[in-house]
Amino acid sequence: FLPEHLEIHWFSIINSCVTVVLMMGFLASILLRVLKNDFVKFSQDEEMLESQEESGWKYVHGDVFRFPRGRSLFAAIIGTGTQLFFLVLFVFMLALIGAFYPYNMGAVTASCLVMYALTAGIAGYVSSNTYRQMGGENWVRNVLLTCVLFCGPLGLMFSFLNTVAIAYRSTAALPFGTIVI
């Protein structure tokens, strides 16, 4: 009922889902086994607990709600990760509705660039909101850090590779004027 290039490999999808469910089950059983011993220990008489030293997860109970040292960097990473998540989600949705044709090689790259620009607002909002919730005051610096966190290293890598391509007189190299425009 679907065109041949849109056929879905159901066996691969089901195999991946079963693998994820099994891995979650293994992780849950390991966590339950570890936490069960702590629950048994702490459910005993309170007098015995007061005489014993704290052990296990009780050591970290004060650190759980403490904000990290680099609040701005942490919030920027959260914002950038959210942006990349929505970017991938939107590109997958475009592919699902059939917006990309197999013979148009640049369509996915172009849509990734456009979607990256459109999801920049999501990154700024999530980053500044997370930073504000952690008691941060300088939200403008945080939003600028969010903008540079992914684009900065990517731009430096592109510039280096483009310079090498220009040095070797490659046809794949982009002229500086084209990059600026």
Side-chain angles (χ1 to χ4, degrees), residues 81-92 115 119 122 126:
T82 306
Q83 178 184 13
L84 293 177
F85 172 75
F86 277 103
L87 167 77
V88 169
L89 185 74
F90 290 151
V91 169
F92 280 169
M115 286 298 163
T119 56
I122 295 172
V126 169

Side-chain angles (χ1 to χ4, degrees), residues 4-5 33 38 52 54 56 65 80 84 87 89 106-107 121-122 126-127 134 142 147 160 174:
E4 189 171 314
H5 71 279
R33 188 177 300 162
D38 283 343
Q52 293 177 351
E54 292 182 347
F65 298 109
T80 303
L84 293 177
L87 167 77
L89 185 74
I122 295 172
V126 169
S127 175
M134 290 190 291
N142 178 258
C147 292
F160 174 74
L174 291 175

Side-chain angles (χ1 to χ4, degrees), residues 113-133:
L113 287 173
V114 169
M115 286 298 163
Y116 183 80
L118 291 177
T119 56
I122 295 172
Y125 173 75
V126 169
S127 175
S128 61
N129 192 27
T130 305
Y131 185 64
R132 184 189 53 81
Q133 286 178 354

